[in-house]
Amino acid sequence: MQELLNGVAQGTVYALIAAGLVLIFGVVRVPHFAHGESVMVSGMMTCWAVTSLHLPVLLGAAVGVAASVGYGLFLCFAVYWPMRNHPEWNLLASSLGAVVITQTAAIAIWTSTPRVTPGGVSGSFEIGDAIIPWSWAVLAAISAAVIGATALLVSRTTAGVSMKAMAADAETAQLMGIPVRKNWAIAFAVGSALAGVAGSVYSTVFPVSTTLGLDVTFSALVVIILAGIGSVAHVLWGGVLLGVVEAVAGTVFPGGYQDSMVFLFMLVVLVARPNGLFGLERARD
Amino acid sequence: MTRFLPWAALVAGLGILGTGSPYLLTLAATSALAIMVAIALNVSMGLGGSVNLGVGVFYGCGAYGAALLNTKQGYSLGASLVVAVAIAVVVSLIVGPLLLRTRSLYFAISTLALNGIFVDIVASNDDLGGELGIPGITRPGPLPFFGEDGDPGSLRTMYLLICVALVAVLAVFAAIRGHRVGRTLEAIREDELLCQSLGYTTLGYRVFAFTVTAGLAAVAGVFYAFVIQYVNPGPFSFLTSSFQAFVIVAVGGAARTWGPILAGIVLVAGPSFLEFSATTNQYVYGGVLLAIVIFLPGGLAAGVDRLARGGAATTSSLRRTLARLKHTRESEGELS
């Protein structure tokens, strides 16, 4: 029971990060492997703002999210936008190049010691015989709320609907007068903001380090595979599923093999249902 | 004659490096192995168009296979080469058809997962050395013309054998690229549906490319085990093996015979000979990678081509043929 609840809490954070990646990957078709770096940048900036500038946690989180959005927009317009007509693997290579540079710079600035932002929520409560820290509940609640808000943004606003049109057929969407460049900016800004929220909130509960970026990206990709690329809301279920699988694998195989179980689970899903477990739409590639 | 010029240059360059100090030889040998893995990847990624981010698995199969066969069974380099490569080929024939059901980025992610599983297994299983790895692999004796005194520790012999393997792997790539099979693979990369409608079993060709990549990467792995004499999970993780090979192919120019050589010199051999600090090395690596991918979409090989032709860009005849075929098919479709 305790492990399952741990998994659910962890899973909602995965889902939040993955929801941001769905926007970027689904709408503008950029394999943004530097998405995890946005999470890292936000976590480190939040921690720096709170410990060095002595800002309150909420303001520190705002600093983190702003840094993350700035980072995402910078990559969008300095790297990906000029390459929009290049083959997909060139974009993939450039995002990995960005990962290498960002991680090296981050280690040079902040070293690679994990750190926690002080001043998060403390105390805990009990469900049955499981003890849940309040901070985890806050983490899960914020994640779920932000994912819900993003899902509404995509389904209810003009910008969201035009982004869906771009995801369906970028060329036709452009012919119909949809502002492609603006939607790129929105997708990257909102997507990186979600990563930023995840990074700053996570840093108040668990230690974050400068080297976590790629692992975070991999987890987000696994969630997207489980959930299918079609929908922001489905991502929540994909994230929770990943968290639970990880927790169960951790208890069943205590001596390693935890990563293998997660990857193996993903591979089985991918081979058996190439559109994801919850994906109803047909994948286009 | 000019088509043999690059080969002569390659052999000459490797020969000159071969006269260097043991330190230089080790650097040259590891760079050559990184390039070999990239050439292997170029078959499935460059020709076949499947972005395989798990080539490190087969590189590792070769290395771990050779390490176990040599330390536990006393196999020589030649015998390990045959058996370990066979193991990698069998593994690739099992996982290939399954993974190749997915396409483009889904394929990339599933091969990435495969790499994660491989590293996790070898790091967690004590029979496979665990985190500590397997030490004590014995190199073959020095070649007769070096003699025991001329090549203590057989490093120069290993370097020479690796050079032979590098040239052989490159020749295999060039042969596939020039053969009907390679052309079919390139056509599948450009338009799989069109090739299916022309009667090609595209999955078969893609599995073939995947398996060739696996086999050639395993060759590099076997030589890795024998030249370093120690294997551990680190060098076969995504970042150090598959990522590196992917970057070398992308920077050199996908499907280009000389692309991996050029990119390997610029990205791997160059920085390690210049002896930057680790941090500077990473900045240079990331920066050069970004600059080339953004400004030279066809890679270094296309850049060299353009220089040689005085600035004119070229369209491949394959692309033109495919476009024409597609056009004919579409207009036939409209008529019926």
Side-chain angles (χ1 to χ4, degrees), chain A residues 25 83 86 88-90 93-94 96-97 100-101 104-105 214 218 221 225 229 257 259-260 263 266-267 270-271 285, chain B residues 45 51 101-102 104-106 110 112-113 117 120 124-125 243 246 254 279 282-283 286-287 289-290 293-294 297:
Chain A
F25 184 44
M83 296 179 68
H86 289 198
E88 210 162 47
W89 65 51
N90 270 2
S94 69
L96 288 167
V100 170
I101 295 179
T104 314
L214 261 188
F218 292 165
L221 286 171
I225 297 284
I229 191 101
Y257 299 117
D259 294 351
S260 299
F263 281 134
M266 186 198 87
L267 280 184
L270 197 58
V271 170
D285 349 64
Chain B
M45 175 177 153
V51 178
R101 290 182 46 167
T102 58
S104 70
L105 278 166
Y106 290 89
S110 56
L112 187 76
I117 294 175
D120 201 32
S124 310
N125 191 331
F243 169 61
F246 167 77
T279 311
Q282 292 291 83
Y283 284 132
L289 160 62
L290 271 178
V293 171
I294 294 175

Side-chain angles (χ1 to χ4, degrees), chain A:
Chain A
M1 189 63 190
Q2 179 82 51
E3 282 79 20
L4 280 184
L5 287 170
N6 294 4
V8 171
Q10 187 80 31
T12 49
V13 184
Y14 289 147
L16 183 54
I17 299 165
L21 195 54
V22 163
L23 278 184
I24 294 170
F25 184 44
V27 173
V28 299
R29 313 291 302 164
V30 172
H32 182 42
F33 270 54
H35 190 64
E37 306 305 315
S38 302
V39 178
M40 182 274 287
V41 166
S42 164
M44 298 318 271
M45 285 299 284
T46 306
C47 191
W48 169 79
V50 172
T51 49
S52 304
L53 301 181
H54 306 292
L55 292 178
V57 175
L58 275 180
L59 271 181
V63 170
V65 174
S68 172
V69 171
Y71 176 75
L73 283 176
F74 172 76
L75 279 188
C76 171
F77 287 112
V79 179
Y80 301 134
W81 178 255
M83 296 179 68
R84 62 193 174 282
N85 296 324
H86 289 198
E88 210 162 47
W89 65 51
N90 270 2
L91 283 158
L92 180 57
S94 69
S95 78
L96 288 167
V99 169
V100 170
I101 295 179
T102 311
Q103 200 180 322
T104 314
I107 292 174
I109 300 170
W110 290 302
T111 72
S112 49
T113 1
R115 47 188 80 187
V116 182
T117 307
V121 189
S122 57
S124 61
F125 62 99
E126 287 178 32
I127 300 179
D129 53 352
I131 301 159
I132 314 291
W134 273 109
S135 56
W136 291 17
V138 169
L139 186 68
I142 291 180
S143 302
V146 174
I147 293 173
T150 314
L152 282 181
L153 179 86
V154 172
S155 60
R156 295 291 155 82
T157 62
T158 321
V161 174
S162 74
M163 273 157 70
K164 272 167 107 177
M166 265 176 71
D169 189 338
E171 238 169 73
T172 315
Q174 191 161 18
L175 286 174
M176 303 305 273
I178 282 172
V180 171
R181 190 152 178 239
K182 195 175 127 205
N183 279 357
W184 271 61
I186 295 176
F188 269 93
V190 176
S192 304
L194 296 197
V197 171
S200 58
V201 179
Y202 192 82
S203 78
T204 64
V205 185
F206 300 102
V208 286
S209 82
T210 42
T211 50
L212 60 76
L214 261 188
D215 285 338
V216 166
T217 306
F218 292 165
S219 302
L221 286 171
V222 174
V223 171
I224 291 182
I225 297 284
L226 293 181
I229 191 101
S231 144
V232 175
H234 284 154
V235 162
L236 189 56
W237 303 117
V240 170
L241 188 59
L242 171 62
V244 169
V245 169
E246 249 184 24
V248 170
T251 43
V252 179
F253 302 95
Y257 299 117
Q258 196 179 345
D259 294 351
S260 299
M261 295 322 292
V262 171
F263 281 134
L264 198 64
F265 182 66
M266 186 198 87
L267 280 184
V268 170
V269 169
L270 197 58
V271 170
R273 297 207 48 178
N275 303 331
L277 275 184
F278 311 107
L280 304 171
E281 300 155 69
R282 246 184 83 74
R284 274 164 295 116
D285 349 64

Side-chain angles (χ1 to χ4, degrees), chain B residues 302-320:
Chain B
V304 170
D305 255 15
R306 213 184 271 187
L307 278 181
R309 278 165 226 253
T314 53
T315 337
S316 78
S317 62
L318 176 82
R319 288 231 171 123
R320 283 198 301 269

Side-chain angles (χ1 to χ4, degrees), chain B residues 51-317:
Chain B
V51 178
N52 180 342
L53 294 180
V55 70
V57 173
F58 304 105
Y59 186 35
C61 272
Y64 269 86
L68 289 171
L69 289 167
N70 181 266
T71 54
K72 300 252 157 76
Q73 310 287 333
Y75 276 41
S76 66
L77 172 62
S80 313
L81 197 59
V82 174
V83 178
V85 172
I87 292 171
V89 166
V90 170
V91 171
S92 79
L93 282 175
I94 295 168
V95 296
L98 284 174
L99 296 190
L100 284 162
R101 290 182 46 167
T102 58
R103 303 253 187 269
S104 70
L105 278 166
Y106 290 89
F107 177 71
I109 295 165
S110 56
T111 47
L112 187 76
L114 194 66
N115 207 147
I117 294 175
F118 176 81
V119 172
D120 201 32
I121 288 176
V122 293
S124 310
N125 191 331
D126 287 334
D127 292 332
L128 298 173
E131 292 283 0
L132 293 176
I134 308 169
I137 299 153
T138 16
R139 285 175 185 160
L143 289 171
F145 48 85
F146 285 137
E148 287 290 345
D149 303 335
D151 187 14
S154 298
L155 179 59
R156 212 172 293 277
T157 299
M158 276 315 299
Y159 172 76
L160 205 67
L161 293 174
I162 286 172
C163 291
V164 172
L166 177 67
V167 174
V169 166
L170 192 64
V172 168
F173 178 84
I176 293 177
R177 185 170 183 256
H179 191 265
R180 193 181 57 79
V181 175
R183 307 217 147 245
T184 314
L185 276 171
E186 291 201 70
I188 291 171
R189 178 193 67 205
E190 296 297 324
D191 196 334
E192 186 166 356
L193 208 59
L194 182 68
C195 292
Q196 280 173 346
S197 76
L198 291 172
Y200 288 101
T201 36
T202 54
L203 183 66
Y205 280 91
R206 292 170 70 223
V207 171
F208 170 77
F210 187 78
T211 303
V212 172
T213 292
L216 295 181
V219 171
V222 172
F223 282 102
Y224 175 91
F226 277 93
V227 71
I228 305 295
Q229 299 179 287
Y230 168 64
V231 294
N232 62 323
F236 308 102
S237 69
F238 166 72
L239 263 187
T240 34
S241 61
S242 306
F243 169 61
Q244 169 127 311
F246 167 77
V247 166
I248 293 176
V249 172
V251 165
R256 307 295 301 253
T257 308
W258 294 95
I261 303 270
L262 292 171
I265 292 170
V266 172
L267 282 176
V268 183
S272 56
F273 286 123
L274 292 174
E275 296 179 19
F276 294 130
S277 74
T279 311
T280 321
N281 211 340
Q282 292 291 83
Y283 284 132
V284 170
Y285 190 80
V288 170
L289 160 62
L290 271 178
I292 292 175
V293 171
I294 294 175
F295 298 113
L296 263 181
L300 287 172
V304 170
D305 255 15
R306 213 184 271 187
L307 278 181
R309 278 165 226 253
T314 53
T315 337
S316 78
S317 62

